[in-house]
Every structure is written in structure tokens, then in C-alpha cells.
Amino acid sequence: MRATRPDEPEAPDFVKKLMAWGAGPRASLNLILAGKARAALRGRYHVAVDDIQALCPPILRHRIIPNFAARSERMTADDLIEKLVAEIPSNEKLLARKTG
């Protein structure tokens, strides 16, 4: 969630440029809980990156506020979340790092 906060040094450049406000600690807690529920509903005992990626839009949508620069480019919170999710490594990328 720190990557959604424009004042954080590790935030991606587009976050610093396009976000006025990022997600707080409760967003992390809700992603964890929702991820566990989604995994359980799919018969798994573990949360996968795909679970988190699927849950980001509904959990982060009202917690991320685009700034004027983003709004002037007609970007919504969903557009910014989509860019953030693209930066989360997929299971394939994680596996490639471990084996490569």
C-alpha cells in the first residue's frame, strides 16, 4: 500500500505525478482478508498474487484519489489501480525469478 502514497520514496513515478492521496493501512488489512476469502472460495489454502490483483479495484477504488494532473488526462482511480496492478509481479514472474 505504500506504493500508492505519493509522498513515499519507493512510490512509482506515475503515483507521484498522478495521485493526490493513496491507500492507508486498512486497505492492506482488507486485501489480506478478502484474499483469504477468495482463495477459500476457490478451494485453496493460500492466497495467490492473482487473488490480490483481482481484489485491488474494489478495495482501492475509494481510497485512491487522482490529482488534477490525472483528472485533466481523464484518468480515474480505476485507471491508476490498473497501472499499479501491472507493477505487481505475477506468479509467473515470481517463479521465473526463483528458477532463473
Side-chain angles (χ1 to χ4, degrees), residues 14 18 66-67 69-80 83:
F14 78 89
L18 300 171
N67 64 15
R71 285 191 230 130
S72 68
E73 295 178 22
R74 297 186 185 255
M75 294 187 81
T76 64
D78 284 336
D79 297 325
L80 296 172
K83 286 179 77 101

PDB file of all heavy atoms in Angstrom, residues 14 18 66-67 69-80 83:
ATOM      1  N   PHE A  14       4.717   7.393 -11.617  1.00  0.00           N
ATOM      2  CA  PHE A  14       3.369   7.802 -12.020  1.00  0.00           C
ATOM      3  C   PHE A  14       2.484   8.090 -10.804  1.00  0.00           C
ATOM      4  O   PHE A  14       1.585   8.916 -10.874  1.00  0.00           O
ATOM      5  CB  PHE A  14       2.725   6.770 -12.956  1.00  0.00           C
ATOM      6  CG  PHE A  14       2.187   5.546 -12.269  1.00  0.00           C
ATOM      7  CD1 PHE A  14       0.884   5.501 -11.799  1.00  0.00           C
ATOM      8  CD2 PHE A  14       2.991   4.428 -12.110  1.00  0.00           C
ATOM      9  CE1 PHE A  14       0.392   4.369 -11.180  1.00  0.00           C
ATOM     10  CE2 PHE A  14       2.503   3.296 -11.488  1.00  0.00           C
ATOM     11  CZ  PHE A  14       1.197   3.261 -11.023  1.00  0.00           C
ATOM     12  N   LEU A  18       0.555  11.500 -10.444  1.00  0.00           N
ATOM     13  CA  LEU A  18      -0.881  11.469 -10.728  1.00  0.00           C
ATOM     14  C   LEU A  18      -1.810  11.257  -9.529  1.00  0.00           C
ATOM     15  O   LEU A  18      -3.021  11.298  -9.693  1.00  0.00           O
ATOM     16  CB  LEU A  18      -1.173  10.369 -11.766  1.00  0.00           C
ATOM     17  CG  LEU A  18      -0.472  10.538 -13.116  1.00  0.00           C
ATOM     18  CD1 LEU A  18      -0.664   9.304 -13.973  1.00  0.00           C
ATOM     19  CD2 LEU A  18      -0.977  11.782 -13.818  1.00  0.00           C
ATOM     20  N   PRO A  66      -7.161  10.570  -7.463  1.00  0.00           N
ATOM     21  CA  PRO A  66      -6.342  11.159  -8.533  1.00  0.00           C
ATOM     22  C   PRO A  66      -6.208  12.671  -8.312  1.00  0.00           C
ATOM     23  O   PRO A  66      -7.134  13.317  -7.835  1.00  0.00           O
ATOM     24  CB  PRO A  66      -7.138  10.878  -9.811  1.00  0.00           C
ATOM     25  CG  PRO A  66      -8.187   9.881  -9.430  1.00  0.00           C
ATOM     26  CD  PRO A  66      -8.402   9.998  -7.965  1.00  0.00           C
ATOM     27  N   ASN A  67      -5.053  13.220  -8.670  1.00  0.00           N
ATOM     28  CA  ASN A  67      -4.869  14.665  -8.539  1.00  0.00           C
ATOM     29  C   ASN A  67      -5.353  15.375  -9.805  1.00  0.00           C
ATOM     30  O   ASN A  67      -5.884  14.745 -10.728  1.00  0.00           O
ATOM     31  CB  ASN A  67      -3.410  14.996  -8.209  1.00  0.00           C
ATOM     32  CG  ASN A  67      -2.440  14.619  -9.304  1.00  0.00           C
ATOM     33  OD1 ASN A  67      -2.819  14.353 -10.440  1.00  0.00           O
ATOM     34  ND2 ASN A  67      -1.167  14.580  -8.962  1.00  0.00           N
ATOM     35  N   ALA A  69      -3.669  16.685 -12.257  1.00  0.00           N
ATOM     36  CA  ALA A  69      -2.972  16.233 -13.465  1.00  0.00           C
ATOM     37  C   ALA A  69      -3.617  14.965 -14.025  1.00  0.00           C
ATOM     38  O   ALA A  69      -3.814  14.840 -15.233  1.00  0.00           O
ATOM     39  CB  ALA A  69      -1.494  15.991 -13.169  1.00  0.00           C
ATOM     40  N   ALA A  70      -3.968  14.037 -13.148  1.00  0.00           N
ATOM     41  CA  ALA A  70      -4.621  12.793 -13.595  1.00  0.00           C
ATOM     42  C   ALA A  70      -6.012  13.083 -14.145  1.00  0.00           C
ATOM     43  O   ALA A  70      -6.397  12.564 -15.192  1.00  0.00           O
ATOM     44  CB  ALA A  70      -4.706  11.807 -12.438  1.00  0.00           C
ATOM     45  N   ARG A  71      -6.757  13.905 -13.440  1.00  0.00           N
ATOM     46  CA  ARG A  71      -8.112  14.225 -13.896  1.00  0.00           C
ATOM     47  C   ARG A  71      -8.098  14.976 -15.218  1.00  0.00           C
ATOM     48  O   ARG A  71      -8.986  14.775 -16.049  1.00  0.00           O
ATOM     49  CB  ARG A  71      -8.850  15.027 -12.832  1.00  0.00           C
ATOM     50  CG  ARG A  71      -9.287  14.144 -11.691  1.00  0.00           C
ATOM     51  CD  ARG A  71     -10.232  14.868 -10.770  1.00  0.00           C
ATOM     52  NE  ARG A  71      -9.722  14.669  -9.414  1.00  0.00           N
ATOM     53  CZ  ARG A  71      -9.536  15.611  -8.535  1.00  0.00           C
ATOM     54  NH1 ARG A  71      -9.846  16.856  -8.790  1.00  0.00           N
ATOM     55  NH2 ARG A  71      -9.061  15.329  -7.348  1.00  0.00           N
ATOM     56  N   SER A  72      -7.088  15.819 -15.408  1.00  0.00           N
ATOM     57  CA  SER A  72      -7.012  16.554 -16.678  1.00  0.00           C
ATOM     58  C   SER A  72      -6.712  15.612 -17.845  1.00  0.00           C
ATOM     59  O   SER A  72      -7.022  15.933 -18.990  1.00  0.00           O
ATOM     60  CB  SER A  72      -5.963  17.662 -16.602  1.00  0.00           C
ATOM     61  OG  SER A  72      -4.672  17.121 -16.516  1.00  0.00           O
ATOM     62  N   GLU A  73      -6.116  14.456 -17.543  1.00  0.00           N
ATOM     63  CA  GLU A  73      -5.879  13.428 -18.558  1.00  0.00           C
ATOM     64  C   GLU A  73      -7.022  12.402 -18.594  1.00  0.00           C
ATOM     65  O   GLU A  73      -6.902  11.349 -19.208  1.00  0.00           O
ATOM     66  CB  GLU A  73      -4.548  12.717 -18.281  1.00  0.00           C
ATOM     67  CG  GLU A  73      -3.341  13.607 -18.414  1.00  0.00           C
ATOM     68  CD  GLU A  73      -2.045  12.893 -18.096  1.00  0.00           C
ATOM     69  OE1 GLU A  73      -2.010  11.642 -18.183  1.00  0.00           O
ATOM     70  OE2 GLU A  73      -1.062  13.580 -17.752  1.00  0.00           O
ATOM     71  N   ARG A  74      -8.109  12.732 -17.896  1.00  0.00           N
ATOM     72  CA  ARG A  74      -9.316  11.878 -17.811  1.00  0.00           C
ATOM     73  C   ARG A  74      -9.017  10.512 -17.207  1.00  0.00           C
ATOM     74  O   ARG A  74      -9.597   9.499 -17.593  1.00  0.00           O
ATOM     75  CB  ARG A  74      -9.981  11.735 -19.164  1.00  0.00           C
ATOM     76  CG  ARG A  74     -10.478  13.051 -19.715  1.00  0.00           C
ATOM     77  CD  ARG A  74     -11.258  12.848 -20.996  1.00  0.00           C
ATOM     78  NE  ARG A  74     -11.611  14.125 -21.562  1.00  0.00           N
ATOM     79  CZ  ARG A  74     -12.831  14.653 -21.517  1.00  0.00           C
ATOM     80  NH1 ARG A  74     -13.794  14.010 -20.930  1.00  0.00           N
ATOM     81  NH2 ARG A  74     -13.069  15.824 -22.069  1.00  0.00           N
ATOM     82  N   MET A  75      -8.093  10.480 -16.264  1.00  0.00           N
ATOM     83  CA  MET A  75      -7.767   9.235 -15.566  1.00  0.00           C
ATOM     84  C   MET A  75      -8.599   9.150 -14.296  1.00  0.00           C
ATOM     85  O   MET A  75      -8.756  10.130 -13.571  1.00  0.00           O
ATOM     86  CB  MET A  75      -6.285   9.181 -15.225  1.00  0.00           C
ATOM     87  CG  MET A  75      -5.385   9.100 -16.436  1.00  0.00           C
ATOM     88  SD  MET A  75      -3.674   8.841 -15.985  1.00  0.00           S
ATOM     89  CE  MET A  75      -3.711   7.087 -15.705  1.00  0.00           C
ATOM     90  N   THR A  76      -9.104   7.958 -14.044  1.00  0.00           N
ATOM     91  CA  THR A  76      -9.888   7.704 -12.841  1.00  0.00           C
ATOM     92  C   THR A  76      -9.051   6.895 -11.852  1.00  0.00           C
ATOM     93  O   THR A  76      -7.945   6.445 -12.182  1.00  0.00           O
ATOM     94  CB  THR A  76     -11.157   6.903 -13.189  1.00  0.00           C
ATOM     95  OG1 THR A  76     -10.754   5.618 -13.685  1.00  0.00           O
ATOM     96  CG2 THR A  76     -12.013   7.619 -14.226  1.00  0.00           C
ATOM     97  N   ALA A  77      -9.599   6.690 -10.675  1.00  0.00           N
ATOM     98  CA  ALA A  77      -8.934   5.828  -9.695  1.00  0.00           C
ATOM     99  C   ALA A  77      -8.739   4.429 -10.281  1.00  0.00           C
ATOM    100  O   ALA A  77      -7.698   3.803 -10.069  1.00  0.00           O
ATOM    101  CB  ALA A  77      -9.735   5.773  -8.406  1.00  0.00           C
ATOM    102  N   ASP A  78      -9.714   3.941 -11.037  1.00  0.00           N
ATOM    103  CA  ASP A  78      -9.588   2.616 -11.655  1.00  0.00           C
ATOM    104  C   ASP A  78      -8.412   2.558 -12.631  1.00  0.00           C
ATOM    105  O   ASP A  78      -7.721   1.539 -12.713  1.00  0.00           O
ATOM    106  CB  ASP A  78     -10.878   2.226 -12.367  1.00  0.00           C
ATOM    107  CG  ASP A  78     -11.959   1.789 -11.405  1.00  0.00           C
ATOM    108  OD1 ASP A  78     -11.623   1.352 -10.281  1.00  0.00           O
ATOM    109  OD2 ASP A  78     -13.144   1.880 -11.763  1.00  0.00           O
ATOM    110  N   ASP A  79      -8.195   3.629 -13.383  1.00  0.00           N
ATOM    111  CA  ASP A  79      -7.051   3.664 -14.304  1.00  0.00           C
ATOM    112  C   ASP A  79      -5.731   3.588 -13.542  1.00  0.00           C
ATOM    113  O   ASP A  79      -4.810   2.874 -13.941  1.00  0.00           O
ATOM    114  CB  ASP A  79      -7.076   4.942 -15.144  1.00  0.00           C
ATOM    115  CG  ASP A  79      -8.295   5.031 -16.044  1.00  0.00           C
ATOM    116  OD1 ASP A  79      -8.739   3.983 -16.545  1.00  0.00           O
ATOM    117  OD2 ASP A  79      -8.793   6.158 -16.240  1.00  0.00           O
ATOM    118  N   LEU A  80      -5.654   4.308 -12.437  1.00  0.00           N
ATOM    119  CA  LEU A  80      -4.434   4.291 -11.626  1.00  0.00           C
ATOM    120  C   LEU A  80      -4.222   2.930 -10.970  1.00  0.00           C
ATOM    121  O   LEU A  80      -3.096   2.435 -10.899  1.00  0.00           O
ATOM    122  CB  LEU A  80      -4.492   5.398 -10.577  1.00  0.00           C
ATOM    123  CG  LEU A  80      -4.513   6.823 -11.140  1.00  0.00           C
ATOM    124  CD1 LEU A  80      -4.771   7.827 -10.037  1.00  0.00           C
ATOM    125  CD2 LEU A  80      -3.222   7.132 -11.868  1.00  0.00           C
ATOM    126  N   LYS A  83      -2.765   0.538 -13.448  1.00  0.00           N
ATOM    127  CA  LYS A  83      -1.319   0.733 -13.603  1.00  0.00           C
ATOM    128  C   LYS A  83      -0.559   0.124 -12.422  1.00  0.00           C
ATOM    129  O   LYS A  83       0.498  -0.470 -12.596  1.00  0.00           O
ATOM    130  CB  LYS A  83      -0.996   2.224 -13.719  1.00  0.00           C
ATOM    131  CG  LYS A  83      -1.381   2.832 -15.052  1.00  0.00           C
ATOM    132  CD  LYS A  83      -1.060   4.306 -15.106  1.00  0.00           C
ATOM    133  CE  LYS A  83       0.381   4.564 -15.321  1.00  0.00           C
ATOM    134  NZ  LYS A  83       0.803   4.912 -16.655  1.00  0.00           N
TER     135      LYS A  83
END
